[in-house]
Amino acid sequence: MSLPCTAKAGKQPPKEIIAYQLHGNCYLNITWHCTLRCAFCPKYHGEWVVQGYDLRLLREPEVDEIIRAIGDPTAYKQIVFCGLGEPTLRLDTLLEVARQLKTTQPSTQIRINTDGLANLVYGEDVTPRLAGLIDELSVSMNAQNEALYIQHCRPKREGAFEAMLDFAALANKHVSTLNLTAIEGLEGVDIVACEKLCQQRGLNFRRRVLDIVG
Ligand code: SF4
């Protein structure tokens, strides 16, 4: 059964949290599958509770369940696809949810927090499909070079670091806001170097804090 986005952190963790509240936003947890196996990811340390929410799913929710779990989208600053899995691995479902939200409430602001590997996974440029449906992307860059990226993110596919940067450059044409992000304090990660690499590619950068969903 889907749960309302009004689930509050710190209470008895309900089962199958599809939607959860943080920072005045409604976050959507639609899959546990990932293209990365990040060494810093809580789920790879047996921990599925993030900021008071148990994000373990027993199955992937359908479009209507996700819409029901959101409730009233006007109650939130943003609807954010971000759980303990990569949301673009369910791109069709994600975009259909976004389409329905934009149709019923065009002012709804929608963001995806992503690993930026959708083009690598699907073998084509999917970024034009985001146009008009997704307002903002937060792309996990996580390192200033491929060696460090592999060390921390342990991608399942080759060429992931460059693919992520290429995705960001392409997607930047189709959304209003795109930020690449890296986590402050990860071994060897140079936040200034990450920012510089983004600047060289004409992309925005934002630093993140480990275990804080943003
Ligand atoms: S992309 Fe996110 S959910 Fe997936 S392994 Fe990395 S930190 Fe965990």
Side-chain angles (χ1 to χ4, degrees):
M1 188 175 118
S2 63
L3 292 160
C5 197
T6 49
K8 300 279 194 248
K11 291 191 173 175
Q12 183 70 22
K15 290 219 183 302
E16 289 204 87
I17 294 179
I18 298 170
Y20 58 105
Q21 278 186 26
L22 284 173
H23 321 306
N25 298 327
C26 180
Y27 286 74
L28 299 176
N29 178 37
I30 65 171
T31 185
W32 62 89
H33 295 294
C34 277
T35 317
L36 301 174
R37 294 166 290 190
C38 303
F40 53 82
C41 181
K43 74 181 178 185
Y44 287 109
H45 301 282
E47 178 61 67
W48 289 81
V49 178
V50 176
Q51 292 186 241
Y53 294 105
D54 186 345
L55 299 183
R56 190 190 297 266
L57 292 170
L58 302 177
R59 63 188 176 80
E60 294 182 321
E62 302 297 334
V63 169
D64 59 336
E65 293 174 292
I66 299 168
I67 293 287
R68 277 203 305 277
I70 295 167
D72 177 7
T74 66
Y76 306 102
K77 291 187 288 187
Q78 278 190 322
I79 306 297
V80 187
F81 289 90
C82 174
L84 272 184
E86 170 50 40
T88 63
L89 289 177
R90 300 195 67 207
L91 191 61
D92 289 344
T93 298
L94 182 161
L95 292 178
E96 177 56 20
V97 169
R99 190 192 65 74
Q100 291 191 20
L101 290 172
K102 289 284 189 187
T103 300
T104 55
Q105 195 57 249
S107 63
T108 305
Q109 292 296 298
I110 303 176
R111 166 163 48 114
I112 310 173
N113 287 3
T114 178
D115 62 14
L117 298 177
N119 286 355
L120 186 65
V121 167
Y122 293 106
E124 61 180 287
D125 180 14
V126 300
T127 61
R129 297 181 63 192
L130 307 178
L133 296 177
I134 306 302
D135 301 285
E136 182 174 342
L137 286 173
S138 182
V139 181
S140 297
M141 172 186 190
N142 285 335
Q144 67 273 22
N145 61 48
E146 184 175 26
L148 266 178
Y149 181 83
I150 289 171
Q151 177 187 326
H152 289 298
C153 299
R154 303 184 299 191
K156 296 175 184 173
R157 293 171 183 247
E158 288 187 9
F161 184 67
E162 275 304 320
M164 172 272 298
L165 292 172
D166 290 347
F167 172 90
L170 290 166
N172 202 30
K173 302 172 191 162
H174 302 293
V175 299
S176 306
T177 305
L178 183 146
N179 289 300
L180 286 145
T181 67
I183 299 168
E184 192 119 48
L186 278 193
E187 183 190 357
V189 173
D190 181 338
I191 293 291
V192 174
C194 289
E195 190 161 17
K196 196 170 169 192
L197 182 57
C198 290
Q199 282 171 353
Q200 287 166 353
R201 297 186 179 225
L203 298 165
N204 294 329
F205 175 80
R206 180 169 59 82
R207 67 184 67 200
R208 283 190 52 220
V209 177
L210 188 60
D211 293 339
I212 301 295
V213 177

